[in-house]
Amino acid sequence: MQVSKIMANLEAKHPGEKEYLQAVEEVLVTIEDIYNQHPEFEKAKIIERLVEPDRIFTFRVTWVDDKGEVQNNLGYRVQYNSALGAYKGGLRFHPAVNVSMLKFLGFEQIFKNSLTNLPLGGGKGGADFDPTGKSDAEIMRFCQAFMYELWRNIGADQDSPAGDVGVGGREIGYLYGAYKKLAREHSTGALTGKSYGWGGSLIRPEATGFGAIYYVERMVKQKGDKMEGKRIALSGFGNVAWGAATKATELGAKVVALSGPDGVCELPEGVNKEMIDYMLVMRDSRRNKVQDMADKFPGKAIFTPGKKAWMVKCDIACPCAFQNEMSEADAKELIANGVKYVAEVSNMGCQPEAIAAFQAAKIPFGPGKAVNAGGVATSGLEICQNAGHINWTAPEVDQKLHKIMNDIYDMCVEYGKQADGTINYVKGANIAGFMRVAKAMLAQGII
Ligand code: 2IT
């Protein structure tokens, strides 16, 4: 393959789809060498096939708000690649959702799901719907209207969506209720992230954050260092940041920053249990304001409007909110403030220039598709439990999650080890994820 040729072709076919093109290019540049050592890949045009989704559904979602006004949104499902299993990936409800965003997320999902070593294909979906400020009844009506269209295209052996930004346990409940009514079957494998008691898995809400910190712990240990006493800056205060804050605190680290779209809260003494619990209240309020933390804990959480978490001096920086949330300037500020490790927890949370700055400064950088894979891995464990009609205990799920994260970390090291002894985790994750998918595609013929 010649990356420039493939990218030129994709840019011509999909003009303006910036995030999708960015995600594809980031992968291609790291797998180019190994790909070109396998003429069978080139012959089967594996990469040309992998960069295009199998199919994309776009649909109108019409619903009625609390004032009785009719609202229209656009819904999508991108079924990207099913070489390893049924399509699997989250649903994102956010006003900026478009085809390009969901294609980038779906493309990342293929590699991430491959890294888990579970039988999971890659997909993503969502809608340009903004949950901020919506009532519970509005959310329910939206989820039902969304499912009127989606239900025919999902199912345990077909496509299994889950949550993502703007979609949590409550939304999955409403989506599942509508699915069950339309499909006329209680097919739990059709959605994951369900609540415990009707098909959900213990530890699924925590899994992305827990898994990320398990990965970070290995990055830290690799340097002969330890988590205890480390200052961690997290962006966001949703499910992912909540899980990460919980596990990091449990391991003796200190979460010194949390941020939101409105600004950053500095936490000089670190987060405590009460603050961690309050993150869930903030999330469920749908106000989307981190300032609420400072109002609730005066003196312990200091709010600065319009600033990001990266202005707070820390040892470990973990973007947990949205794509491209860390710029080159942010990376330089973190480096100047002595950051020692960076782990992307949000999908493509760092701009390419930020990653390049960390790598140039020899700061270990963990990429989202490896660091955040614990979420989807635990969705895979949820599907296993549903299929076997069993419920694992929280420690059982946590142990399996921890093992999966350790295995992912080891694969990243195996494929990412450089001649100078450092580890390029980005390259390691991309190659390890790609090889499993490519081998499955070869074995399944030209299709
Ligand atoms: O980005 C992700 O991996 C997710 N939003 C979770 C996907 C899933 O199917 O659990």
Side-chain angles (χ1 to χ4, degrees):
M1 96 164 98
Q2 231 183 306
V3 177
S4 55
K5 219 166 127 190
I6 291 174
M7 289 312 301
N9 186 26
L10 280 184
E11 277 162 31
K13 270 205 271 188
H14 307 288
E17 294 192 8
K18 278 201 185 127
E19 287 164 341
Y20 157 64
L21 296 166
Q22 177 190 339
V24 171
E25 188 164 19
E26 275 189 56
V27 168
L28 296 196
V29 294
T30 55
I31 64 167
E32 187 175 15
D33 285 349
I34 200 152
Y35 189 93
N36 290 335
Q37 290 160 24
H38 288 265
E40 70 275 22
F41 292 165
E42 190 74 25
K43 188 156 179 281
K45 295 239 168 31
I46 293 288
I47 208 64
E48 288 83 346
R49 288 158 61 196
L50 191 59
V51 295
E52 293 287 356
D54 289 351
R55 66 194 69 80
I56 303 176
F57 300 109
T58 306
F59 46 92
R60 173 176 50 78
V61 184
T62 300
W63 56 285
V64 181
D65 70 17
D66 285 349
K67 292 188 205 116
E69 271 178 41
V70 176
Q71 299 286 345
N72 283 301
N73 286 97
L74 268 182
Y76 308 87
R77 185 71 182 166
V78 179
Q79 295 185 335
Y80 225 117
N81 184 286
S82 62
L84 299 178
Y87 304 104
K88 181 88 198 86
L91 296 172
R92 178 172 291 194
F93 291 171
H94 188 280
V97 161
N98 58 29
V99 175
S100 170
M101 192 192 293
L102 297 178
K103 275 167 68 182
F104 118 63
L105 288 162
F107 185 72
E108 291 285 287
Q109 199 80 40
I110 304 169
F111 294 82
K112 179 196 315 196
N113 293 4
S114 168
L115 285 169
T116 67
N117 246 324
L118 296 169
L120 304 169
K124 204 85 191 187
D128 62 351
F129 167 78
D130 188 359
T132 310
K134 298 287 189 300
S135 72
D136 229 38
E138 287 177 320
I139 297 281
M140 183 179 75
R141 288 196 295 273
F142 179 80
C143 288
Q144 291 172 341
F146 185 84
M147 202 43 97
Y148 280 149
E149 281 292 332
L150 192 65
W151 76 275
R152 277 188 191 280
N153 300 312
I154 63 171
D157 297 320
Q158 193 179 165
D159 185 352
S160 175
D164 193 81
V165 174
V167 179
R170 194 162 34 177
E171 289 73 20
I172 293 292
Y174 296 144
L175 288 163
Y176 188 78
Y179 171 78
K180 182 168 65 78
K181 178 131 184 134
L182 292 159
R184 299 201 180 180
E185 58 180 30
H186 210 306
S187 172
T188 41
L191 283 165
T192 65
K194 303 178 294 293
S195 297
Y196 187 70
W198 53 273
S201 173
L202 291 168
I203 304 294
R204 178 63 189 90
E206 295 89 340
T208 309
F210 276 23
I213 298 299
Y214 291 146
Y215 193 98
V216 169
E217 192 183 18
R218 292 292 304 274
M219 290 170 74
V220 170
K221 277 192 178 157
Q222 213 277 334
K223 285 271 176 195
D225 204 350
K226 59 181 186 347
M227 288 294 281
E228 223 180 327
K230 288 279 174 304
R231 291 162 304 180
I232 305 193
L234 305 175
S235 61
F237 56 86
N239 242 15
V240 176
W242 165 74
T246 305
K247 184 56 74 179
T249 306
E250 191 187 308
L251 296 181
K254 202 160 117 176
V255 176
V256 292
L258 293 171
S259 65
D262 52 333
V264 61
C265 272
E266 204 174 327
L267 316 160
E269 297 161 34
V271 279
N272 57 33
K273 172 88 175 66
E274 260 188 295
M275 288 170 168
I276 290 174
D277 289 346
Y278 195 64
M279 288 168 83
L280 295 178
V281 176
M282 286 160 61
R283 184 200 62 192
D284 288 347
S285 77
R286 296 203 191 95
R287 282 169 47 78
N288 215 7
K289 285 193 177 9
V290 81
Q291 186 176 1
D292 292 355
M293 180 70 87
D295 294 343
K296 175 84 179 167
F297 300 96
K300 292 198 164 180
I302 300 140
F303 178 67
T304 310
K307 290 283 184 188
K308 298 187 191 176
W310 323 129
M311 65 166 255
V312 178
K313 193 172 156 58
C314 63
D315 303 305
I316 305 173
C318 295
C320 297
F322 216 61
Q323 69 265 16
N324 287 323
E325 56 176 306
M326 195 188 280
S327 66
E328 185 179 17
D330 296 328
K332 290 196 166 148
E333 187 172 7
L334 280 166
I335 295 167
N337 279 335
V339 73
K340 296 189 183 77
Y341 309 89
V342 180
E344 219 177 31
V345 192
S346 43
N347 294 302
M348 210 164 77
C350 296
Q351 296 176 17
E353 300 78 18
I355 301 175
F358 293 129
Q359 289 176 336
K362 300 248 180 275
I363 291 163
F365 175 83
K369 61 171 79 68
V371 174
N372 74 25
V376 74
T378 308
S379 279
L381 299 177
E382 183 175 329
I383 293 172
C384 286
Q385 293 173 82
N386 293 158
H389 300 281
I390 45 170
N391 284 311
W392 288 322
T393 62
E396 281 172 328
V397 179
D398 196 17
Q399 214 170 37
K400 290 178 207 299
L401 164 66
H402 203 156
K403 180 176 185 320
I404 291 170
M405 294 313 297
N406 275 329
D407 291 346
I408 292 175
Y409 181 86
D410 290 338
M411 274 190 284
C412 292
V413 171
E414 185 186 332
Y415 286 100
K417 198 147 202 160
Q418 304 298 287
D420 64 0
T422 60
I423 297 148
N424 184 334
Y425 293 104
V426 176
K427 188 173 164 194
N430 287 340
I431 295 176
F434 170 74
M435 291 304 269
R436 187 171 166 232
V437 178
K439 284 178 188 162
M441 286 175 73
L442 274 185
Q444 291 166 17
I446 307 300
I447 195 100

